[in-house]
């Protein structure tokens, strides 16, 4: 997402307009052509401007001067066909040099991050002119190790296997083994990103993160159609009880494990055994049936409309973005997250408290708890998502539109039927908005891998507040998610492909 446009400064009549000098070309031997196919004109324009600012020559039209053809989400054949269709002639190498080089955008992003052209390696090449084009299945042996280096769609080809691995991962988490849980999550993430369905165990043997126990599960499903370990696990009392208890709003794995050890097997046992509950847990149990039911996209959009109107009463012109799974393309989820910002940071002071209190007075909130902003140091590697001001709430969503749209009065006429919906409201300062948007979009595993990549590969600390250069001890600003990926030397992954 892009930030708010800056206010235009009105020039006085008759004032001369200074011409803007083009950025100097620092690398005259390189001429980049960005393929617009699948990239789109807006993103191509953004990348062109970025490259020119860093001293690269970028051709608007393909010609014989082009040395590096850069493409995103296309095959080698796609690129050649697209250029031939645009120019009316096939792409050919010059007699005195091996150009143009047909490259994946990873070469471009790495070059932008380095501030100079990086050497072209085999992993950057989509293909070489005159050589045969590889098939999709060749990609099985070249899967990138980090989830943030891969595109993971919502619908993929290996759901039967990934479902089994995720159940094993959840069970490992219930048993307190985060290492084993993460191992299953990484294997599932790799399989979700594959461009084709696994047909044999031989195809899986060279896949990153898919060895050991995971490989046994994969083989069993490919050969028998089912993993017997998973079937036994799903029918076990402990797994079923832990799944039930952790699905309660306000209950984590440790609390659920303690309750299980105390003899809790069903919700009614909590009262029978006189289990002490927090206010959050009481609300979660009271509205359990509603909260267990998935929130549809239509319901999420209705919540968005109500939230927007409530916040607008106090500060007009806010940017309110629905994040989480819905931003990644999901049609349903377990809650709805909203990120809130404004160019004027003073306008955000007290906004959440005032708007939450007002919504509560209107009967729109069944439960709410607000966490104040904490100044998280970007340099500190933290397991917490962030320190933004956040309200965790259970929203009373009316089942029919009985609101007075013109006046913005939320008071319903007569007895209004509603359902409980989990809602998180997050307030982020304007300069932190791109990082907060990236962090709150998810998925959880994608974000974990993105932060791991930043730290291990770039020696940079990333969280929802910003990016921190450990060596120089300074924060690195960014104006969009795309720019953050460029700073990390990564190919931009759009939200619908972050379902890792």
């Amino acid at each position: 997402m892009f930030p708010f446009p800056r206010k235009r400064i009105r020039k006085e009549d008759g004032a001369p307009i200074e011409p803007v000098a083009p950025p100097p070309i620092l690398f005259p031997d390189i001429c980049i052509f960005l393929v617009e196919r699948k990239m789109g004109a807006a993103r191509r324009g953004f990348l062109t401007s970025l490259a020119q600012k860093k001293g690269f020559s970028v051709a608007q039209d393909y010609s014989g001067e082009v040395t590096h053809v850069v493409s995103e989400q296309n095959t080698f054949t796609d690129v050649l066909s697209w250029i031939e269709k645009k120019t009316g002639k096939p792409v050919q190498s010059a007699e005195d040099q091996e150009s143009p080089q047909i490259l994946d955008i990873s070469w471009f992003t790495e070059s932008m991050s380095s501030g100079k052209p990086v050497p072209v390696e085999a992993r950057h090449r989509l293909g070489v002119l005159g050589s045969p084009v590889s098939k999709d299945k060749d990609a099985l042996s070249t899967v990138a190790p980090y989830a943030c280096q891969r595109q993971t769609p919502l619908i993929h080809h290996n759901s039967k296997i990934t479902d089994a691995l995720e159940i094993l991962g959840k069970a490992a988490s219930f048993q307190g083994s985060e290492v084993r849980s993460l191992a299953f999550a990484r294997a599932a993430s790799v399989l979700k990103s594959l461009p084709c369905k696994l047909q044999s165990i031989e195809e899986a043997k060279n896949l990153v993160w898919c060895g050991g126990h995971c490989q046994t599960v994969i083989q069993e499903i490919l050969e028998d159609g089912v993993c017997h370990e998973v079937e036994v696990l799903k029918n076990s009392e402990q797994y079923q009880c832990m799944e039930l208890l952790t699905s309660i709003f306000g209950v984590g794995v440790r609390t659920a494990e303690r309750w299980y050890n105390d003899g809790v097997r069903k919700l009614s046992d909590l009262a029978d055994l006189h289990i002490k509950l927090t206010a959050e847990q009481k609300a979660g149990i009271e509205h359990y049936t509603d909260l267990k039911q998935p929130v549809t996209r239509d319901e999420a959009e209705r919540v968005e409309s109500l939230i927007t109107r409530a916040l607008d009463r106090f500060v007009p012109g806010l940017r309110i973005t629905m994040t989480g799974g819905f931003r990644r393309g999901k049609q349903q989820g377990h809650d709805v997250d909203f990120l809130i910002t404004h160019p004027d940071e003073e306008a955000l002071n007290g906004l959440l408290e005032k708007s939450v209190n007002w919504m509560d007075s209107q009967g729109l909130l069944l439960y709410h708890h607000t966490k104040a902003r904490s100044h998280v140091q970007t340099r500190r590697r933290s397991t917490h998502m962030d320190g933004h001001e956040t309200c965790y709430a259970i929203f009373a969503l009316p089942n029919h539109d009985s609101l007075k749209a013109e006046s913005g009065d939320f008071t319903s006429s007569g007895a209004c039927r509603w359902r409980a919906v989990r809602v998180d409201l997050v307030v982020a300062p304007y300069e932190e908005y791109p990082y907060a948007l990236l962090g709150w979009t998810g998925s959880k595993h994608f974000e974990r891998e993105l932060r791991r990549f930043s730290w291990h590969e770039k020696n940079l600390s990333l969280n929802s507040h910003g990016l921190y250069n450990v060596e120089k001890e300074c924060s690195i600003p960014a104006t969009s998610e795309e720019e953050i990926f460029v700073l990390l030397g990564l190919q931009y992954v759009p939200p619908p492909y972050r379902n890792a």
Side-chain angles (χ1 to χ4, degrees):
M1 298 291 293
F2 292 93
F4 289 103
R6 294 179 179 176
K7 292 183 178 179
R8 295 182 180 179
I9 301 175
R10 184 177 178 180
K11 292 184 176 292
E12 296 182 4
D13 294 338
I17 300 175
E18 295 292 335
V20 179
I25 296 176
L26 304 179
F27 314 105
D29 294 335
I30 289 179
C31 181
I32 299 172
F33 176 72
L34 294 165
V35 176
E36 189 172 319
R37 183 182 189 271
K38 291 191 176 181
M39 182 181 292
R43 176 158 166 74
R44 184 177 187 241
F46 167 79
L47 297 178
T48 296
S49 176
L50 177 67
Q52 290 173 337
K53 288 178 181 177
K54 291 184 177 289
F56 288 81
S57 173
V58 182
Q60 292 300 315
D61 300 307
Y62 181 80
S63 68
E65 297 180 356
V66 172
T67 60
H68 294 66
V69 175
V70 174
S71 171
E72 186 171 38
Q73 302 178 45
N74 291 298
T75 65
F76 181 66
T77 304
D78 289 337
V79 173
L80 299 186
S81 300
W82 187 84
I83 293 177
E84 183 174 353
K85 182 178 179 180
K86 290 289 183 180
T87 62
K89 54 185 179 181
V91 179
Q92 295 179 342
S93 297
E95 294 181 0
D96 60 339
Q97 61 182 12
E98 293 182 1
S99 66
Q101 302 192 70
I102 314 298
L103 306 175
D104 176 73
I105 200 170
S106 57
W107 174 83
F108 180 91
T109 55
E110 289 172 22
S111 297
M112 296 305 107
S113 180
S114 300
K116 61 183 179 180
V118 299
V120 174
E121 302 178 11
R123 61 188 175 86
H124 296 134
R125 297 180 186 272
L126 291 181
V128 179
L129 294 177
S131 65
V133 180
S134 61
K135 298 180 180 179
D136 280 345
K137 292 210 172 185
D138 292 340
L140 297 181
S141 60
T142 58
V143 176
Y146 292 90
C148 56
Q149 296 173 308
R150 308 187 292 261
Q151 296 216 352
T152 310
L154 194 60
I155 300 173
H156 58 90
H157 303 280
N158 296 284
S159 58
K160 197 168 188 178
I161 302 175
T162 59
D163 288 349
L165 291 171
E166 286 175 346
I167 289 173
L168 290 170
K170 186 185 291 186
S173 177
F174 291 163
Q175 295 165 5
S177 178
E178 289 303 319
V179 173
R180 288 179 58 238
S181 179
L182 181 57
F184 289 122
R186 283 175 173 163
S189 178
V190 168
L191 297 181
K192 289 177 183 179
S193 71
L194 297 183
C196 55
K197 185 176 182 179
L198 283 180
Q199 301 293 339
S200 68
I201 189 59
E202 294 302 318
E203 294 177 348
K205 284 184 177 178
N206 293 325
L207 288 175
V208 63
W209 303 117
C210 290
H213 193 166
C214 295
Q215 191 171 117
T216 302
V217 174
I218 294 170
Q219 182 172 5
E220 191 172 357
I221 292 176
L222 289 175
E223 294 177 356
D224 302 338
V226 67
C227 175
H228 298 287
E229 179 186 1
V230 170
E231 294 306 306
V232 171
L233 188 62
K234 287 193 301 184
N235 293 318
S236 69
E237 181 189 63
Q238 183 178 15
Y239 180 85
Q240 291 179 352
C241 288
M242 287 294 290
E243 192 170 38
L244 168 69
L245 297 176
T246 54
S247 67
I248 300 172
F249 176 53
V251 178
V253 171
R254 290 185 179 178
T255 299
E257 183 181 22
R258 186 174 70 251
W259 288 356
Y260 180 80
N261 292 334
D262 288 342
V264 177
R265 297 296 181 268
K266 54 186 182 296
L267 295 183
S268 59
D269 290 341
L270 293 169
D272 296 341
L273 295 171
H274 305 289
I275 301 294
K276 187 176 181 180
L277 303 174
T278 64
E280 187 179 31
Q281 292 161 357
K282 288 177 182 177
I285 293 170
E286 181 181 355
H287 303 290
Y288 181 82
T289 302
D290 271 2
L291 299 182
K292 185 68 174 174
Q293 179 185 346
V295 182
T296 66
R297 178 169 287 275
D298 175 69
E299 289 170 330
E301 289 172 353
R302 286 164 54 205
V303 171
E304 181 177 32
S305 177
L306 293 171
I307 293 291
T308 300
R309 288 165 57 189
L311 293 170
D312 192 59
R313 293 177 68 94
F314 300 96
V315 180
L318 289 164
R319 165 167 283 188
I320 304 170
T321 307
M322 189 188 303
T323 59
F326 288 108
R327 185 166 184 254
R328 301 198 310 274
K330 287 190 173 184
Q331 295 306 304
Q332 60 181 32
H334 70 278
D335 66 357
V336 196
D337 302 325
F338 295 100
L339 184 62
I340 304 158
T341 194
H342 193 281
D344 181 6
E345 190 168 338
E346 291 297 321
L348 299 175
N349 290 338
L351 169 66
L352 196 59
E353 181 181 3
K354 287 184 289 188
S355 56
V356 166
N357 288 340
W358 187 84
M359 286 188 286
D360 191 26
S361 72
Q362 299 296 302
L364 285 171
L365 298 183
L366 304 169
Y367 167 86
H368 64 90
H369 168 69
T370 301
K371 181 196 74 174
R373 173 176 169 83
S374 60
H375 296 277
V376 174
Q377 293 291 329
T378 312
R379 72 189 75 183
R380 185 173 66 230
R381 296 189 66 208
S382 173
T383 56
H384 300 288
M385 175 169 281
D386 57 52
H388 292 301
E389 184 182 14
T390 307
C391 176
Y392 305 98
I394 299 178
F395 197 84
L397 176 64
N399 286 346
H400 60 83
D401 190 10
S402 60
L403 309 178
K404 299 177 183 177
E406 293 183 2
S407 65
D409 185 359
F410 287 83
T411 306
S412 58
S413 57
C416 179
R417 296 174 60 83
W418 48 264
R419 69 155 293 196
V421 175
R422 277 275 296 107
V423 175
D424 291 341
L425 304 175
V426 184
V427 176
Y430 190 69
E431 66 273 9
E432 295 180 7
Y433 175 78
Y435 289 102
L437 180 63
L438 178 61
W440 278 86
T441 294
S443 65
K444 180 179 178 181
H445 186 68
F446 183 91
E447 297 301 327
R448 177 167 47 200
E449 289 285 277
L450 187 61
R451 297 179 189 200
R452 188 170 71 92
F453 175 89
S454 303
W455 184 259
H456 289 288
E457 304 299 329
K458 300 296 180 179
N459 199 26
L460 299 173
S461 179
L462 173 70
N463 61 23
S464 291
H465 291 267
L467 187 64
Y468 190 82
N469 187 312
V470 178
E471 294 181 353
K472 297 182 179 180
E473 296 190 350
C474 64
S475 295
I476 305 173
T479 59
S480 67
E481 285 184 312
E482 289 184 323
E483 190 172 342
I484 298 171
F485 278 85
V486 171
L487 290 170
L488 294 173
L490 288 169
Q491 177 178 340
Y492 177 66
V493 180
Y497 295 94
R498 300 180 200 167
N499 292 286

